[in-house]
Structure formats: structure tokens, C-alpha cells
Amino acid sequence: GAGVSQSPSNKVTEKGKDVELRCDPISGHTALYWYRQSLGQGLEFLIYFQGNSAPDKSGLPSDRFSAERTGGSVSTLTIQRTQQEDSAVYLCASSRHPQPENTEAFFGQGTRLTVV
Amino acid sequence: KNQVEQSPQSLIILEGKNCTLQCNYTVSPFSNLRWYKQDTGRGPVSLTIMTFSENTKSNGRYTATLDADTKQSSLHITASQLSDSASYICVVRGSNDYKLSFGAGTTVTVRA
């Protein structure tokens, strides 16, 4: 597609349920990022994928969060046993290989997750 | 502590007026700084990129400045329009570091 696509755009789930968020990056982009944006807060880094390298999971807030990227393209962020504090907008971004350093990251429209 | 601080948190201006947004960062070593515009319900979109050697750069009515010595950047919006109402996010990248550091953003509201 022409841009980064995320689905669903909105998700309301009950506390304790599992959710899966999907990201389709721009074709050919090897780098993929997940960020979380809570109300009134800046974007919080969650996880980074680059090609076939091991992902950088250092931003995942707890072991309830996991992500995978199949075939170097589509990525899924999974949140198990959701809690109310997980409510946020989850943004995905992709870019060509991170070098050169001025490579631009393109963002999807985000998935707004509400845990009730 | 966030490595990118933005001010003000929000501002309201009348259509046609100018405004300036501030970004201070501590990311080091520094590679580049981008200003993104995020419309409500949309993902951020890059407005401009500043590298270490650049002091000022314009993109239409948007002008960004960078002082790499003091680690400060500003985004000036000239002759504001209603469509400028959005969140403006400062994003800093360190050298040899793929992670991006985001500010919390400044919410700009332009009123007729």
C-alpha cells in the first residue's frame, strides 16, 4: 500500500482479555517500530524490528506485551490479560534501513485501545 | 526523564497570527531533529528535518531553527491557518542509534 496501515483503528476490550494489533508497513521498509501514546504523553518506544535481526524489545512495559513480525513485513502486537492502564493509542512506523540517519519514519494512523 | 522537552504544552492563537514552539533535548551524540505534525486521529507526518550543521530550514509557512550548542530547536508558524490546528512533535535521533526520542508535543489550536 501507499502508507503504513494499522488495524483495527479502534478496539474496546474488557479487562483481562487478550488483544492483537496489526501493522502493515510500507513495502520494502525493513525497519518497523511500535510506539504507545497515552493521553497527554509523548510517544513511548515499545519494540523495534530491523530485517532478520533480533528485535529490540527493551521498551515493552511487561511480559504481557509481545510482538512478532512475520516474513519481514506484517507485524502483530499482542497484549495479554489487558489492564486499564494499557488504554492508549498504539502507533506503528516503518522506514527504510535506519542508515542513513536521516531516514524518515512513516507512521500509521494508530489503533486506539480502550480497556473497560 | 524524557530526553526531549517541549513547550508550551498547548496554545491557542487567532487565525493569521504567528506562533513559536520550543524543543529542548539532551540526546547525545546528536544526529538529527525532526518536527512532526499530528492531526487528530492521524499518525504524525514529518514537516522538516534539521541536521547538526543546519541552523534554519523552511517548509512553506513553517520555519524550524536549531542551535546544536544549546540543544534547542524551535518551530515558527507564520500567518496561521485553521488547518494548522494539530499537535506538533519534536523527534530527536542520536548518532548510530535507531531509536527515536519523542517530545510530548505542543497542541496548537487556531481560532477564526
Side-chain angles (χ1 to χ4, degrees):
Chain A
V4 178
S5 178
Q6 291 186 245
S7 60
S9 55
N10 281 284
K11 176 71 176 178
V12 180
T13 189
E14 293 181 350
K15 177 181 176 181
K17 299 288 188 182
D18 298 351
V19 294
E20 284 190 352
L21 313 180
R22 178 187 169 102
C23 172
D24 282 273
I26 293 173
S27 178
H29 281 192
T30 60
L32 186 147
Y33 310 75
W34 280 99
Y35 291 88
R36 179 168 70 175
Q37 187 173 33
S38 300
L39 188 63
Q41 302 294 317
L43 275 73
E44 173 190 3
F45 169 78
L46 296 177
I47 189 169
Y48 165 78
F49 295 91
Q50 169 51 38
N52 295 320
S53 303
D56 178 351
K57 305 178 181 180
S58 60
L60 296 179
S62 77
D63 58 9
R64 296 186 295 105
F65 287 73
S66 63
E68 62 178 22
R69 188 179 184 190
T70 55
S73 180
V74 173
S75 177
T76 302
L77 177 69
T78 301
I79 308 174
Q80 296 178 310
R81 306 181 302 282
T82 52
Q83 304 294 313
Q84 288 186 331
E85 60 264 29
D86 299 335
S87 296
V89 175
Y90 289 81
L91 285 166
C92 174
S94 74
S95 69
R96 295 193 306 268
H97 192 279
Q99 300 300 333
E101 293 174 350
N102 60 354
T103 298
E104 179 179 350
F106 293 86
F107 287 83
Q109 81 284 7
T111 293
R112 180 175 297 279
L113 175 67
T114 304
V115 182
V116 297
Chain B
K1 178 175 168 60
N2 196 2
Q3 296 187 76
V4 182
E5 299 286 346
Q6 290 188 243
S7 63
Q9 183 176 18
S10 62
L11 65 91
I12 299 173
I13 57 173
L14 293 177
E15 189 177 14
K17 299 296 186 182
N18 305 334
C19 67
T20 301
L21 317 179
Q22 299 291 341
C23 174
N24 297 339
Y25 63 92
T26 59
V27 175
S28 182
F30 168 84
S31 174
N32 62 68
L33 181 151
R34 283 187 186 272
W35 283 95
Y36 279 80
K37 179 185 180 187
Q38 184 176 21
D39 292 313
T40 301
R42 308 293 293 273
V45 176
S46 177
L47 288 175
T48 185
I49 179 172
M50 305 290 290
T51 58
F52 187 87
S53 59
E54 296 175 306
N55 298 120
T56 184
K57 184 177 287 186
S58 292
N59 177 5
R61 294 179 297 100
Y62 300 103
T63 299
T65 66
L66 174 67
D67 185 333
D69 292 331
T70 61
K71 294 183 169 51
Q72 296 179 325
S73 176
S74 67
L75 181 69
H76 186 76
I77 304 175
T78 303
S80 61
Q81 300 177 358
L82 297 179
S83 59
D84 293 332
S85 295
S87 178
Y88 292 85
I89 304 171
C90 177
V91 183
V92 180
R93 180 170 183 169
S95 297
N96 299 317
D97 184 359
Y98 48 76
K99 291 183 186 178
L100 304 174
S101 297
F102 286 76
T106 294
T107 300
V108 174
T109 302
V110 181
R111 291 185 174 167

